[in-house]
Amino acid sequence: MSPLDLLDIDASLGEEERQIRSVVRRLVDDRVRPHVAGWYESGQVPARELAVEFGKLGLLGMHLTGYGCAGASAVAYGLACLELEAGDSGVRSLVSVQGSLAMYAIWRYGSEEQKQRWLPAMAAGEAIGCFGLTEPDHGSDPASMATRARRDGDDWILTGGKMWITNAPIADVAVIWARTDEGVRGFAVPMDTPGVAAREIRHKMSLRASVTGEITLDDVRLPADARLPEAVGLKAPLGCLTEARHGIVWGALGAARDCLETALSYAGTRTQFGRPIAGFQLTQAKFADMAVEWNKGLLLALHLGRLADAGTLRPAQVSVGKLNNVREALEIARQCRTILGANGVSAEYPVMRHANNLESVLTYEGTSEIHQLVIGQTLTGLSAFA
Ligand SMILES: Cc1cc2nc3c(=O)[nH]c(=O)nc-3n(C[C@H](O)[C@H](O)[C@H](O)COP(=O)(O)OP(=O)(O)OC[C@H]3O[C@@H](n4cnc5c(N)ncnc54)[C@H](O)[C@@H]3O)c2cc1C
């Protein structure tokens, strides 16, 4: 048992949940940890290769059923996200976007033909998906999106652009959200459709082991059956975000755990003033506060995961988890960085990489401010969004 598990939370996990967790932990130890600092420094990650390996283990769309998906519980999926993000938030993002955003959108809102066409290949990691909601001028306020879809006979014509889209440059299919005369609708857009282009966004200082891109849609002609028939209104993409945010509630704790384990080990061997820095009261106060927050975060994640498995999880509850766990994980990463002193800024240790990654995690899938507004609306009955 990890010394971090102060509250014996491990004991409340089922046997299958623990097994899935150790399989993913082993995979991360073998396949991610030895290489991730290099991927991060170079900004190049073998995402397609990783996707195939993750697919073999059933990690892609693992909480979905049918179509080659594993049908695991929400808690098992959360534990997998935690272990993946202990490797790197970018690697977890690859899995989240594939499973919880792109695959979930097709699984939940798609036609039988769309599901048959995309989901088995995506579950196997042979086809990569992305999810295009954010635009250059519309992030927190997707209701104002400028991307349009208009009818031309039976076809649809899509025009516009999406920004900051994870996996876009390597994707085979994009789930694109666009405004129509009847409101927001979703489309499964093969990336090789004429008029679709994806450009990689470079020079990121965060999530560098993840491929991010911009998509332009220049009079893209799609057949009628490219539209996701069950996706009606903005609540459809928001439903996908609730799925993915649940994974982030767990994932952020993985990054924080890796920072804590690294700092504990470092503090035990780093000697100043004739003794290990772990023996100083100020260092112990930091560790105590961080461990308390980490355990509270895990209890929260487990509670939300159990609600998801019971089918009762509400979006505002996911906002509580995303706001708290990412904010605390980032605080833990920054605090651990101080414990490593100068070594804390080196890529030899994972701490600063996690801290930088968590800056993106804080912003995507709803910024902290947006989650505060969701919770504020639940508490007061008043919307303060606009
Ligand atoms: C690495 C990375 C990967 C991403 N991947 C994807 C992806 O795969 N698909 C996708 O669709 N998007 C993706 N995003 C985009 C992400 O979801 C958006 O960046 C996010 O929603 C915020 O939008 P914005 O950046 O336009 O910021 P803005 O909406 O412009 O917000 C800027 C600031 O203003 C604040 N703000 C905005 N409105 C309010 C308000 N009403 N009250 C108070 N404060 C407010 C925000 O909280 C924030 O602090 C990704 C982003 C990053 C960094």
Side-chain angles (χ1 to χ4, degrees):
M1 197 183 73
S2 163
L4 276 180
D5 186 12
L6 296 173
L7 305 177
D8 292 342
I9 300 172
D10 240 49
S12 53
L13 299 177
E15 189 48 38
E16 198 185 319
E17 290 165 349
R18 270 196 285 262
Q19 261 172 20
I20 289 176
R21 180 180 61 179
S22 52
V23 167
V24 182
R25 191 176 291 186
R26 238 187 347 264
L27 173 82
V28 170
D29 283 345
D30 293 347
R31 198 56 192 89
V32 178
R33 273 184 207 287
H35 311 289
V36 66
W39 298 337
Y40 193 91
E41 276 200 87
S42 66
Q44 305 282 335
V45 56
R48 288 201 79 103
E49 270 171 48
L50 287 176
V52 171
E53 288 178 45
F54 294 162
K56 282 193 185 127
L57 276 185
L59 296 181
L60 303 176
M62 74 181 272
H63 61 308
L64 306 179
T65 49
Y67 308 97
C69 302
S73 69
V75 169
Y77 172 61
L79 289 164
C81 287
L82 190 154
E83 294 304 328
L84 288 165
E85 197 151 347
D88 190 84
S89 305
V91 173
R92 197 268 307 143
S93 298
L94 168 68
V95 171
S96 290
V97 169
Q98 176 85 347
S100 287
L101 291 178
M103 290 176 73
Y104 179 80
I106 295 169
W107 182 85
R108 171 69 182 77
Y109 305 115
S111 65
E112 188 53 35
E113 293 71 35
Q114 288 165 338
K115 292 178 195 181
Q116 297 287 357
R117 175 172 179 193
W118 292 112
L119 293 180
M122 292 171 84
E126 283 153 12
I128 302 283
C130 66
F131 182 90
L133 182 63
T134 304
E135 301 184 350
D137 296 327
H138 306 279
S140 300
D141 180 19
S144 308
M145 70 176 68
T147 298
R148 302 273 151 185
R150 64 179 163 83
R151 282 277 194 190
D152 185 37
D154 281 348
D155 292 348
W156 288 95
I157 309 286
L158 262 63
T159 313
K162 299 288 175 181
M163 190 73 181
W164 293 109
I165 308 305
T166 302
N167 296 347
I170 55 163
D172 301 284
V173 60
V175 172
I176 296 288
W177 301 96
R179 176 180 308 290
T180 70
D181 288 344
E182 290 93 42
V184 171
R185 296 290 184 270
F187 297 84
V189 182
M191 291 297 280
D192 58 4
T193 310
V196 180
R199 182 185 64 85
E200 184 164 357
I201 297 176
R202 296 203 167 271
H203 312 299
K204 284 178 299 172
M205 304 297 281
S206 170
L207 230 66
R208 290 180 54 75
S210 169
V211 191
T212 316
E214 175 180 8
I215 300 177
T216 51
L217 303 152
D218 187 8
D219 281 339
V220 177
R221 181 174 290 275
L222 295 169
D225 63 8
R227 187 171 84 72
L228 302 173
E230 306 299 326
V232 177
L234 198 60
K235 68 178 190 300
L238 296 183
C240 302
L241 292 176
T242 299
E243 286 293 308
R245 286 167 181 167
H246 171 247
I248 292 173
V249 170
W250 291 83
L253 295 172
R257 187 192 70 197
D258 201 45
C259 292
L260 270 166
E261 287 178 350
T262 303
L264 276 168
S265 149
Y266 186 89
T269 54
R270 174 74 179 174
T271 302
Q272 290 294 292
F273 300 98
R275 57 187 166 123
I277 59 170
F280 294 124
Q281 290 182 1
L282 291 178
T283 311
Q284 290 192 7
K286 288 179 185 177
F287 278 129
D289 287 348
M290 291 191 286
V292 166
E293 286 309 326
W294 192 83
N295 276 274
K296 280 156 64 180
L298 191 56
L299 280 176
L300 175 54
L302 189 57
H303 177 67
L304 297 182
R306 298 278 184 238
L307 292 181
D309 280 326
T312 62
L313 183 63
R314 296 194 304 273
Q317 295 171 326
V318 181
S319 285
V320 173
K322 206 261 179 186
L323 174 64
N324 182 76
N325 284 13
V326 181
R327 192 164 63 182
E328 295 305 327
L330 181 56
E331 199 43 49
I332 288 171
R334 288 175 177 158
Q335 193 67 275
C336 287
R337 217 287 307 147
T338 69
I339 293 174
L340 268 72
N343 280 323
V345 307
S346 166
E348 296 280 318
Y349 294 89
V351 178
M352 186 105 166
R353 174 169 52 79
H354 285 307
N356 285 356
N357 282 339
L358 287 166
E359 294 288 348
S360 285
V361 180
L362 195 73
T363 285
Y364 70 23
E365 306 274 353
T367 64
S368 293
E369 293 79 9
I370 293 301
H371 290 296
Q372 286 173 320
L373 295 182
V374 171
I375 296 165
Q377 184 178 16
T378 306
L379 293 172
T380 65
L382 300 172
S383 166
F385 282 85

